[in-house]
PDB file of all heavy atoms in Angstrom:
ATOM      1  N   VAL N  39       3.952 -18.235 -18.053  1.00 98.00           N
ATOM      2  CA  VAL N  39       5.383 -17.917 -18.095  1.00 98.00           C
ATOM      3  C   VAL N  39       5.620 -16.748 -17.135  1.00 98.00           C
ATOM      4  O   VAL N  39       5.107 -15.654 -17.348  1.00 98.00           O
ATOM      5  CB  VAL N  39       5.833 -17.540 -19.526  1.00 98.00           C
ATOM      6  CG1 VAL N  39       7.345 -17.335 -19.563  1.00 98.00           C
ATOM      7  CG2 VAL N  39       5.417 -18.614 -20.519  1.00 98.00           C
ATOM      8  N   GLY N  40       6.379 -16.995 -16.071  1.00 98.00           N
ATOM      9  CA  GLY N  40       6.648 -15.962 -15.065  1.00 98.00           C
ATOM     10  C   GLY N  40       5.887 -16.241 -13.789  1.00 98.00           C
ATOM     11  O   GLY N  40       4.653 -16.282 -13.789  1.00 98.00           O
ATOM     12  N   GLY N  41       6.616 -16.436 -12.712  1.00 98.00           N
ATOM     13  CA  GLY N  41       5.994 -16.752 -11.418  1.00 98.00           C
ATOM     14  C   GLY N  41       6.032 -15.594 -10.446  1.00 98.00           C
ATOM     15  O   GLY N  41       6.196 -15.773  -9.248  1.00 98.00           O
ATOM     16  N   GLY N  42       5.881 -14.343 -10.970  1.00 98.00           N
ATOM     17  CA  GLY N  42       5.661 -13.193 -10.093  1.00 98.00           C
ATOM     18  C   GLY N  42       4.206 -13.209  -9.638  1.00 98.00           C
ATOM     19  O   GLY N  42       3.463 -14.150  -9.930  1.00 98.00           O
ATOM     20  N   ILE N  43       3.793 -12.132  -8.962  1.00 98.00           N
ATOM     21  CA  ILE N  43       2.437 -12.141  -8.404  1.00 98.00           C
ATOM     22  C   ILE N  43       1.382 -12.181  -9.508  1.00 98.00           C
ATOM     23  O   ILE N  43       0.346 -12.831  -9.348  1.00 98.00           O
ATOM     24  CB  ILE N  43       2.210 -10.945  -7.430  1.00 98.00           C
ATOM     25  CG1 ILE N  43       0.894 -11.097  -6.684  1.00 98.00           C
ATOM     26  CG2 ILE N  43       2.271  -9.599  -8.142  1.00 98.00           C
ATOM     27  CD1 ILE N  43       0.782 -12.282  -5.793  1.00 98.00           C
ATOM     28  N   ALA N  44       1.655 -11.566 -10.665  1.00 98.00           N
ATOM     29  CA  ALA N  44       0.666 -11.595 -11.747  1.00 98.00           C
ATOM     30  C   ALA N  44       0.512 -13.022 -12.276  1.00 98.00           C
ATOM     31  O   ALA N  44      -0.603 -13.506 -12.497  1.00 98.00           O
ATOM     32  CB  ALA N  44       1.066 -10.635 -12.869  1.00 98.00           C
ATOM     33  N   LEU N  68       6.107 -21.649 -15.237  1.00 98.00           N
ATOM     34  CA  LEU N  68       7.547 -21.731 -15.519  1.00 98.00           C
ATOM     35  C   LEU N  68       8.209 -20.421 -15.094  1.00 98.00           C
ATOM     36  O   LEU N  68       7.859 -19.344 -15.608  1.00 98.00           O
ATOM     37  CB  LEU N  68       7.771 -21.973 -17.013  1.00 98.00           C
ATOM     38  CG  LEU N  68       7.107 -23.237 -17.579  1.00 98.00           C
ATOM     39  CD1 LEU N  68       7.316 -23.313 -19.092  1.00 98.00           C
ATOM     40  CD2 LEU N  68       7.652 -24.492 -16.900  1.00 98.00           C
ATOM     41  N   GLU N  69       9.122 -20.492 -14.156  1.00 98.00           N
ATOM     42  CA  GLU N  69       9.758 -19.296 -13.594  1.00 98.00           C
ATOM     43  C   GLU N  69      11.270 -19.405 -13.774  1.00 98.00           C
ATOM     44  O   GLU N  69      11.870 -20.423 -13.429  1.00 98.00           O
ATOM     45  CB  GLU N  69       9.384 -19.168 -12.108  1.00 98.00           C
ATOM     46  CG  GLU N  69      10.244 -18.249 -11.277  1.00 98.00           C
ATOM     47  CD  GLU N  69      10.304 -16.801 -11.790  1.00 98.00           C
ATOM     48  OE1 GLU N  69       9.255 -16.243 -12.143  1.00 98.00           O
ATOM     49  OE2 GLU N  69      11.425 -16.253 -11.834  1.00 98.00           O
ATOM     50  N   SER N  70      11.880 -18.338 -14.271  1.00 98.00           N
ATOM     51  CA  SER N  70      13.315 -18.413 -14.580  1.00 98.00           C
ATOM     52  C   SER N  70      14.191 -18.389 -13.328  1.00 98.00           C
ATOM     53  O   SER N  70      15.239 -19.032 -13.292  1.00 98.00           O
ATOM     54  CB  SER N  70      13.723 -17.273 -15.513  1.00 98.00           C
ATOM     55  OG  SER N  70      13.426 -16.034 -14.914  1.00 98.00           O
ATOM     56  N   GLY N  75       7.596 -15.145  -6.969  1.00 98.00           N
ATOM     57  CA  GLY N  75       7.164 -13.904  -6.305  1.00 98.00           C
ATOM     58  C   GLY N  75       7.791 -12.631  -6.820  1.00 98.00           C
ATOM     59  O   GLY N  75       7.331 -11.546  -6.474  1.00 98.00           O
ATOM     60  N   GLY N  76       8.872 -12.718  -7.598  1.00 98.00           N
ATOM     61  CA  GLY N  76       9.534 -11.488  -8.052  1.00 98.00           C
ATOM     62  C   GLY N  76       9.890 -10.634  -6.851  1.00 98.00           C
ATOM     63  O   GLY N  76      10.438 -11.137  -5.867  1.00 98.00           O
ATOM     64  N   PRO N  77       9.533  -9.343  -6.884  1.00 98.00           N
ATOM     65  CA  PRO N  77       9.922  -8.483  -5.760  1.00 98.00           C
ATOM     66  C   PRO N  77       9.152  -8.753  -4.462  1.00 98.00           C
ATOM     67  O   PRO N  77       9.548  -8.214  -3.426  1.00 98.00           O
ATOM     68  CB  PRO N  77       9.644  -7.068  -6.271  1.00 98.00           C
ATOM     69  CG  PRO N  77       8.899  -7.189  -7.528  1.00 98.00           C
ATOM     70  CD  PRO N  77       8.938  -8.594  -8.001  1.00 98.00           C
ATOM     71  N   LEU N  78       8.086  -9.550  -4.510  1.00 98.00           N
ATOM     72  CA  LEU N  78       7.398  -9.867  -3.247  1.00 98.00           C
ATOM     73  C   LEU N  78       8.265 -10.852  -2.477  1.00 98.00           C
ATOM     74  O   LEU N  78       8.129 -12.079  -2.594  1.00 98.00           O
ATOM     75  CB  LEU N  78       6.012 -10.484  -3.506  1.00 98.00           C
ATOM     76  CG  LEU N  78       4.886  -9.483  -3.703  1.00 98.00           C
ATOM     77  CD1 LEU N  78       4.891  -8.958  -5.112  1.00 98.00           C
ATOM     78  CD2 LEU N  78       3.543 -10.083  -3.378  1.00 98.00           C
ATOM     79  N   GLY N  91      11.096  -5.954  -1.034  1.00 97.00           N
ATOM     80  CA  GLY N  91      10.451  -5.392  -2.228  1.00 97.00           C
ATOM     81  C   GLY N  91       9.280  -4.570  -1.712  1.00 97.00           C
ATOM     82  O   GLY N  91       9.462  -3.737  -0.814  1.00 97.00           O
ATOM     83  N   PRO N  92       8.072  -4.807  -2.231  1.00 97.00           N
ATOM     84  CA  PRO N  92       6.932  -4.077  -1.685  1.00 97.00           C
ATOM     85  C   PRO N  92       6.742  -4.432  -0.211  1.00 97.00           C
ATOM     86  O   PRO N  92       6.870  -5.598   0.161  1.00 97.00           O
ATOM     87  CB  PRO N  92       5.742  -4.566  -2.522  1.00 97.00           C
ATOM     88  CG  PRO N  92       6.213  -5.736  -3.277  1.00 97.00           C
ATOM     89  CD  PRO N  92       7.697  -5.706  -3.328  1.00 97.00           C
ATOM     90  N   ASP N  93       6.452  -3.417   0.628  1.00 94.00           N
ATOM     91  CA  ASP N  93       6.171  -3.724   2.038  1.00 94.00           C
ATOM     92  C   ASP N  93       4.711  -3.426   2.364  1.00 94.00           C
ATOM     93  O   ASP N  93       4.304  -3.528   3.513  1.00 94.00           O
ATOM     94  CB  ASP N  93       7.124  -2.962   2.979  1.00 94.00           C
ATOM     95  CG  ASP N  93       6.894  -1.464   2.962  1.00 94.00           C
ATOM     96  OD1 ASP N  93       6.301  -0.964   1.990  1.00 94.00           O
ATOM     97  OD2 ASP N  93       7.314  -0.793   3.927  1.00 94.00           O
ATOM     98  N   ALA N  94       3.939  -3.041   1.352  1.00 94.00           N
ATOM     99  CA  ALA N  94       2.535  -2.708   1.579  1.00 94.00           C
ATOM    100  C   ALA N  94       1.811  -2.698   0.253  1.00 94.00           C
ATOM    101  O   ALA N  94       2.438  -2.586  -0.794  1.00 94.00           O
ATOM    102  CB  ALA N  94       2.441  -1.319   2.206  1.00 94.00           C
ATOM    103  N   PHE N  95       0.490  -2.818   0.326  1.00 96.00           N
ATOM    104  CA  PHE N  95      -0.288  -2.554  -0.886  1.00 96.00           C
ATOM    105  C   PHE N  95      -1.492  -1.713  -0.526  1.00 96.00           C
ATOM    106  O   PHE N  95      -1.949  -1.694   0.617  1.00 96.00           O
ATOM    107  CB  PHE N  95      -0.664  -3.836  -1.645  1.00 96.00           C
ATOM    108  CG  PHE N  95      -1.190  -4.956  -0.800  1.00 96.00           C
ATOM    109  CD1 PHE N  95      -2.475  -4.923  -0.301  1.00 96.00           C
ATOM    110  CD2 PHE N  95      -0.387  -6.055  -0.525  1.00 96.00           C
ATOM    111  CE1 PHE N  95      -2.963  -5.968   0.460  1.00 96.00           C
ATOM    112  CE2 PHE N  95      -0.870  -7.115   0.250  1.00 96.00           C
ATOM    113  CZ  PHE N  95      -2.163  -7.053   0.743  1.00 96.00           C
ATOM    114  N   THR N 285      13.584 -22.309 -14.409  1.00 98.00           N
ATOM    115  CA  THR N 285      13.196 -22.820 -15.724  1.00 98.00           C
ATOM    116  C   THR N 285      12.820 -21.654 -16.645  1.00 98.00           C
ATOM    117  O   THR N 285      11.637 -21.328 -16.795  1.00 98.00           O
ATOM    118  CB  THR N 285      12.005 -23.811 -15.590  1.00 98.00           C
ATOM    119  OG1 THR N 285      12.359 -24.813 -14.636  1.00 98.00           O
ATOM    120  CG2 THR N 285      11.648 -24.452 -16.905  1.00 98.00           C
ATOM    121  N   PRO N 286      13.810 -21.004 -17.223  1.00 98.00           N
ATOM    122  CA  PRO N 286      13.484 -19.890 -18.128  1.00 98.00           C
ATOM    123  C   PRO N 286      12.881 -20.388 -19.433  1.00 98.00           C
ATOM    124  O   PRO N 286      13.326 -21.406 -19.966  1.00 98.00           O
ATOM    125  CB  PRO N 286      14.846 -19.230 -18.382  1.00 98.00           C
ATOM    126  CG  PRO N 286      15.855 -20.296 -18.106  1.00 98.00           C
ATOM    127  CD  PRO N 286      15.260 -21.205 -17.071  1.00 98.00           C
ATOM    128  N   VAL N 287      11.876 -19.690 -19.908  1.00 98.00           N
ATOM    129  CA  VAL N 287      11.356 -20.001 -21.243  1.00 98.00           C
ATOM    130  C   VAL N 287      12.233 -19.247 -22.235  1.00 98.00           C
ATOM    131  O   VAL N 287      12.345 -18.024 -22.184  1.00 98.00           O
ATOM    132  CB  VAL N 287       9.873 -19.590 -21.367  1.00 98.00           C
ATOM    133  CG1 VAL N 287       9.383 -19.773 -22.797  1.00 98.00           C
ATOM    134  CG2 VAL N 287       9.038 -20.423 -20.400  1.00 98.00           C
ATOM    135  N   ALA N 316       3.426 -13.612 -18.215  1.00 98.00           N
ATOM    136  CA  ALA N 316       3.431 -12.681 -17.079  1.00 98.00           C
ATOM    137  C   ALA N 316       4.871 -12.336 -16.739  1.00 98.00           C
ATOM    138  O   ALA N 316       5.321 -12.524 -15.606  1.00 98.00           O
ATOM    139  CB  ALA N 316       2.703 -13.314 -15.890  1.00 98.00           C
ATOM    140  N   VAL N 317       5.585 -11.861 -17.738  1.00 98.00           N
ATOM    141  CA  VAL N 317       7.004 -11.514 -17.604  1.00 98.00           C
ATOM    142  C   VAL N 317       7.204 -10.061 -18.036  1.00 98.00           C
ATOM    143  O   VAL N 317       6.298  -9.445 -18.600  1.00 98.00           O
ATOM    144  CB  VAL N 317       7.891 -12.452 -18.459  1.00 98.00           C
ATOM    145  CG1 VAL N 317       8.010 -13.819 -17.836  1.00 98.00           C
ATOM    146  CG2 VAL N 317       7.347 -12.574 -19.882  1.00 98.00           C
ATOM    147  N   GLN N 318       8.392  -9.516 -17.792  1.00 98.00           N
ATOM    148  CA  GLN N 318       8.682  -8.131 -18.159  1.00 98.00           C
ATOM    149  C   GLN N 318       8.483  -7.936 -19.666  1.00 98.00           C
ATOM    150  O   GLN N 318       8.667  -8.864 -20.461  1.00 98.00           O
ATOM    151  CB  GLN N 318      10.128  -7.786 -17.776  1.00 98.00           C
ATOM    152  CG  GLN N 318      10.384  -7.714 -16.280  1.00 98.00           C
ATOM    153  CD  GLN N 318      10.639  -9.061 -15.618  1.00 98.00           C
ATOM    154  OE1 GLN N 318      10.480 -10.117 -16.221  1.00 98.00           O
ATOM    155  NE2 GLN N 318      11.014  -9.023 -14.351  1.00 98.00           N
ATOM    156  N   VAL N 321      10.996  -9.245 -22.184  1.00 98.00           N
ATOM    157  CA  VAL N 321      10.989 -10.706 -22.338  1.00 98.00           C
ATOM    158  C   VAL N 321       9.831 -11.112 -23.250  1.00 98.00           C
ATOM    159  O   VAL N 321       9.990 -11.956 -24.140  1.00 98.00           O
ATOM    160  CB  VAL N 321      10.874 -11.414 -20.956  1.00 98.00           C
ATOM    161  CG1 VAL N 321      10.905 -12.926 -21.123  1.00 98.00           C
ATOM    162  CG2 VAL N 321      11.961 -10.935 -20.001  1.00 98.00           C
ATOM    163  N   VAL N 347      17.650  -1.418  -2.715  1.00 98.00           N
ATOM    164  CA  VAL N 347      17.074  -1.197  -1.384  1.00 98.00           C
ATOM    165  C   VAL N 347      18.134  -1.566  -0.350  1.00 98.00           C
ATOM    166  O   VAL N 347      18.705  -2.658  -0.408  1.00 98.00           O
ATOM    167  CB  VAL N 347      15.808  -2.069  -1.192  1.00 98.00           C
ATOM    168  CG1 VAL N 347      15.296  -1.993   0.239  1.00 98.00           C
ATOM    169  CG2 VAL N 347      14.718  -1.645  -2.178  1.00 98.00           C
ATOM    170  N   ARG N 407      14.853   1.691   5.950  1.00 97.00           N
ATOM    171  CA  ARG N 407      14.960   1.092   4.622  1.00 97.00           C
ATOM    172  C   ARG N 407      15.158   2.235   3.630  1.00 97.00           C
ATOM    173  O   ARG N 407      14.318   3.131   3.536  1.00 97.00           O
ATOM    174  CB  ARG N 407      13.667   0.337   4.330  1.00 97.00           C
ATOM    175  CG  ARG N 407      13.539  -0.156   2.930  1.00 97.00           C
ATOM    176  CD  ARG N 407      12.160  -0.769   2.793  1.00 97.00           C
ATOM    177  NE  ARG N 407      11.705  -0.614   1.445  1.00 97.00           N
ATOM    178  CZ  ARG N 407      11.172  -1.591   0.733  1.00 97.00           C
ATOM    179  NH1 ARG N 407      10.991  -2.766   1.257  1.00 97.00           N
ATOM    180  NH2 ARG N 407      10.773  -1.386  -0.488  1.00 97.00           N
ATOM    181  N   TRP N 452      17.066  -4.605  -7.443  1.00 98.00           N
ATOM    182  CA  TRP N 452      15.929  -4.944  -8.305  1.00 98.00           C
ATOM    183  C   TRP N 452      16.182  -4.370  -9.701  1.00 98.00           C
ATOM    184  O   TRP N 452      15.676  -3.309 -10.050  1.00 98.00           O
ATOM    185  CB  TRP N 452      14.617  -4.394  -7.723  1.00 98.00           C
ATOM    186  CG  TRP N 452      14.294  -4.985  -6.382  1.00 98.00           C
ATOM    187  CD1 TRP N 452      14.300  -4.347  -5.185  1.00 98.00           C
ATOM    188  CD2 TRP N 452      13.921  -6.345  -6.110  1.00 98.00           C
ATOM    189  NE1 TRP N 452      13.966  -5.226  -4.179  1.00 98.00           N
ATOM    190  CE2 TRP N 452      13.724  -6.456  -4.718  1.00 98.00           C
ATOM    191  CE3 TRP N 452      13.735  -7.481  -6.912  1.00 98.00           C
ATOM    192  CZ2 TRP N 452      13.365  -7.650  -4.111  1.00 98.00           C
ATOM    193  CZ3 TRP N 452      13.375  -8.670  -6.295  1.00 98.00           C
ATOM    194  CH2 TRP N 452      13.190  -8.740  -4.918  1.00 98.00           C
ATOM    195  N   GLY N 455      13.195  -3.159 -12.172  1.00 96.00           N
ATOM    196  CA  GLY N 455      12.135  -3.351 -11.165  1.00 96.00           C
ATOM    197  C   GLY N 455      10.841  -2.642 -11.514  1.00 96.00           C
ATOM    198  O   GLY N 455       9.768  -3.090 -11.119  1.00 96.00           O
ATOM    199  N   PHE N 456      10.939  -1.513 -12.227  1.00 97.00           N
ATOM    200  CA  PHE N 456       9.736  -0.704 -12.454  1.00 97.00           C
ATOM    201  C   PHE N 456       9.573  -0.331 -13.923  1.00 97.00           C
ATOM    202  O   PHE N 456      10.396   0.405 -14.477  1.00 97.00           O
ATOM    203  CB  PHE N 456       9.823   0.597 -11.646  1.00 97.00           C
ATOM    204  CG  PHE N 456       9.609   0.413 -10.172  1.00 97.00           C
ATOM    205  CD1 PHE N 456      10.690   0.171  -9.333  1.00 97.00           C
ATOM    206  CD2 PHE N 456       8.344   0.487  -9.628  1.00 97.00           C
ATOM    207  CE1 PHE N 456      10.508   0.002  -7.972  1.00 97.00           C
ATOM    208  CE2 PHE N 456       8.158   0.321  -8.271  1.00 97.00           C
ATOM    209  CZ  PHE N 456       9.238   0.074  -7.439  1.00 97.00           C
ATOM    210  N   GLY N 484       0.644  -8.406 -16.008  1.00 98.00           N
ATOM    211  CA  GLY N 484       1.742  -7.936 -15.175  1.00 98.00           C
ATOM    212  C   GLY N 484       1.873  -6.431 -15.111  1.00 98.00           C
ATOM    213  O   GLY N 484       1.065  -5.680 -15.668  1.00 98.00           O
ATOM    214  N   ALA N 485       2.925  -6.011 -14.436  1.00 98.00           N
ATOM    215  CA  ALA N 485       3.122  -4.601 -14.101  1.00 98.00           C
ATOM    216  C   ALA N 485       3.344  -3.714 -15.315  1.00 98.00           C
ATOM    217  O   ALA N 485       3.225  -2.504 -15.210  1.00 98.00           O
ATOM    218  CB  ALA N 485       4.321  -4.488 -13.157  1.00 98.00           C
ATOM    219  N   VAL N 490       1.344  -0.675 -11.688  1.00 97.00           N
ATOM    220  CA  VAL N 490       2.522  -1.394 -11.186  1.00 97.00           C
ATOM    221  C   VAL N 490       2.300  -1.953  -9.787  1.00 97.00           C
ATOM    222  O   VAL N 490       3.053  -2.809  -9.335  1.00 97.00           O
ATOM    223  CB  VAL N 490       3.789  -0.503 -11.150  1.00 97.00           C
ATOM    224  CG1 VAL N 490       4.158  -0.014 -12.524  1.00 97.00           C
ATOM    225  CG2 VAL N 490       3.629   0.672 -10.195  1.00 97.00           C
ATOM    226  N   GLY N 491       1.291  -1.468  -9.072  1.00 97.00           N
ATOM    227  CA  GLY N 491       1.082  -1.902  -7.689  1.00 97.00           C
ATOM    228  C   GLY N 491       0.652  -3.362  -7.619  1.00 97.00           C
ATOM    229  O   GLY N 491       0.167  -3.933  -8.608  1.00 97.00           O
ATOM    230  N   VAL N 492       0.832  -3.956  -6.443  1.00 98.00           N
ATOM    231  CA  VAL N 492       0.478  -5.372  -6.271  1.00 98.00           C
ATOM    232  C   VAL N 492      -1.000  -5.618  -6.598  1.00 98.00           C
ATOM    233  O   VAL N 492      -1.319  -6.575  -7.331  1.00 98.00           O
ATOM    234  CB  VAL N 492       0.842  -5.848  -4.838  1.00 98.00           C
ATOM    235  CG1 VAL N 492       0.395  -7.276  -4.602  1.00 98.00           C
ATOM    236  CG2 VAL N 492       2.351  -5.714  -4.611  1.00 98.00           C
ATOM    237  N   PRO N 493      -1.944  -4.773  -6.120  1.00 98.00           N
ATOM    238  CA  PRO N 493      -3.353  -5.047  -6.467  1.00 98.00           C
ATOM    239  C   PRO N 493      -3.581  -5.028  -7.981  1.00 98.00           C
ATOM    240  O   PRO N 493      -4.308  -5.880  -8.509  1.00 98.00           O
ATOM    241  CB  PRO N 493      -4.118  -3.904  -5.779  1.00 98.00           C
ATOM    242  CG  PRO N 493      -3.219  -3.432  -4.687  1.00 98.00           C
ATOM    243  CD  PRO N 493      -1.820  -3.615  -5.193  1.00 98.00           C
ATOM    244  N   CYS N 495      -1.443  -5.752 -10.293  1.00 98.00           N
ATOM    245  CA  CYS N 495      -0.834  -6.951 -10.902  1.00 98.00           C
ATOM    246  C   CYS N 495      -1.700  -8.186 -10.653  1.00 98.00           C
ATOM    247  O   CYS N 495      -1.838  -9.049 -11.529  1.00 98.00           O
ATOM    248  CB  CYS N 495       0.578  -7.162 -10.360  1.00 98.00           C
ATOM    249  SG  CYS N 495       1.721  -5.876 -10.889  1.00 98.00           S
TER     250      CYS N 495
HETATM  251  C1  FAD T 609      11.684  -2.402  -4.706  1.00 78.63           C
HETATM  252  C2  FAD T 609      10.223  -2.462  -5.076  1.00 78.63           C
HETATM  253  C3  FAD T 609       9.292  -1.947  -4.201  1.00 78.63           C
HETATM  254  C4  FAD T 609       7.936  -2.000  -4.515  1.00 78.63           C
HETATM  255  N1  FAD T 609       7.033  -1.530  -3.611  1.00 78.63           N
HETATM  256  C5  FAD T 609       5.714  -1.680  -3.851  1.00 78.63           C
HETATM  257  C6  FAD T 609       4.768  -1.375  -2.833  1.00 78.63           C
HETATM  258  O1  FAD T 609       5.121  -0.948  -1.724  1.00 78.63           O
HETATM  259  N2  FAD T 609       3.451  -1.604  -3.109  1.00 78.63           N
HETATM  260  C7  FAD T 609       3.020  -2.109  -4.305  1.00 78.63           C
HETATM  261  O2  FAD T 609       1.814  -2.303  -4.486  1.00 78.63           O
HETATM  262  N3  FAD T 609       3.908  -2.416  -5.284  1.00 78.63           N
HETATM  263  C8  FAD T 609       5.227  -2.227  -5.085  1.00 78.63           C
HETATM  264  N4  FAD T 609       6.137  -2.574  -6.042  1.00 78.63           N
HETATM  265  C9  FAD T 609       5.655  -3.006  -7.368  1.00 78.63           C
HETATM  266  C10 FAD T 609       5.251  -4.464  -7.424  1.00 78.63           C
HETATM  267  O3  FAD T 609       5.924  -5.227  -6.459  1.00 78.63           O
HETATM  268  C11 FAD T 609       5.568  -5.036  -8.805  1.00 78.63           C
HETATM  269  O4  FAD T 609       5.098  -4.176  -9.819  1.00 78.63           O
HETATM  270  C12 FAD T 609       4.944  -6.422  -8.992  1.00 78.63           C
HETATM  271  O5  FAD T 609       5.367  -7.290  -7.965  1.00 78.63           O
HETATM  272  C13 FAD T 609       5.286  -6.975 -10.369  1.00 78.63           C
HETATM  273  O6  FAD T 609       4.697  -8.242 -10.497  1.00 78.63           O
HETATM  274  P1  FAD T 609       4.708  -9.004 -11.890  1.00 78.63           P
HETATM  275  O7  FAD T 609       4.182 -10.365 -11.645  1.00 78.63           O
HETATM  276  O8  FAD T 609       4.085  -8.180 -12.936  1.00 78.63           O
HETATM  277  O9  FAD T 609       6.237  -9.055 -12.290  1.00 78.63           O
HETATM  278  P2  FAD T 609       7.432  -9.864 -11.617  1.00 78.63           P
HETATM  279  O10 FAD T 609       7.200 -10.052 -10.184  1.00 78.63           O
HETATM  280  O11 FAD T 609       8.670  -9.174 -12.064  1.00 78.63           O
HETATM  281  O12 FAD T 609       7.321 -11.297 -12.288  1.00 78.63           O
HETATM  282  C14 FAD T 609       7.875 -11.628 -13.526  1.00 78.63           C
HETATM  283  C15 FAD T 609       8.567 -12.958 -13.332  1.00 78.63           C
HETATM  284  O13 FAD T 609       8.956 -13.466 -14.585  1.00 78.63           O
HETATM  285  C16 FAD T 609      10.183 -14.141 -14.415  1.00 78.63           C
HETATM  286  N5  FAD T 609      10.797 -14.286 -15.737  1.00 78.63           N
HETATM  287  C17 FAD T 609      11.468 -13.365 -16.469  1.00 78.63           C
HETATM  288  N6  FAD T 609      11.853 -13.892 -17.643  1.00 78.63           N
HETATM  289  C18 FAD T 609      11.401 -15.175 -17.672  1.00 78.63           C
HETATM  290  C19 FAD T 609      11.477 -16.227 -18.632  1.00 78.63           C
HETATM  291  N7  FAD T 609      12.092 -16.059 -19.812  1.00 78.63           N
HETATM  292  N8  FAD T 609      10.915 -17.406 -18.330  1.00 78.63           N
HETATM  293  C20 FAD T 609      10.286 -17.611 -17.144  1.00 78.63           C
HETATM  294  N9  FAD T 609      10.185 -16.630 -16.201  1.00 78.63           N
HETATM  295  C21 FAD T 609      10.728 -15.437 -16.473  1.00 78.63           C
HETATM  296  C22 FAD T 609      10.939 -13.245 -13.453  1.00 78.63           C
HETATM  297  O14 FAD T 609      11.982 -13.936 -12.815  1.00 78.63           O
HETATM  298  C23 FAD T 609       9.832 -12.830 -12.495  1.00 78.63           C
HETATM  299  O15 FAD T 609       9.736 -13.692 -11.388  1.00 78.63           O
HETATM  300  C24 FAD T 609       7.508  -2.551  -5.757  1.00 78.63           C
HETATM  301  C25 FAD T 609       8.460  -3.060  -6.645  1.00 78.63           C
HETATM  302  C26 FAD T 609       9.803  -3.026  -6.327  1.00 78.63           C
HETATM  303  C27 FAD T 609      10.821  -3.578  -7.277  1.00 78.63           C
END
Side-chain angles (χ1 to χ4, degrees):
V39 185
I43 190 63
L68 302 176
E69 163 58 45
S70 59
L78 274 81
D93 67 340
F95 45 76
T285 307
V287 174
V317 286
Q318 291 83 351
V321 182
V347 173
R407 171 185 150 133
W452 298 111
F456 286 91
V490 299
V492 176
C495 292

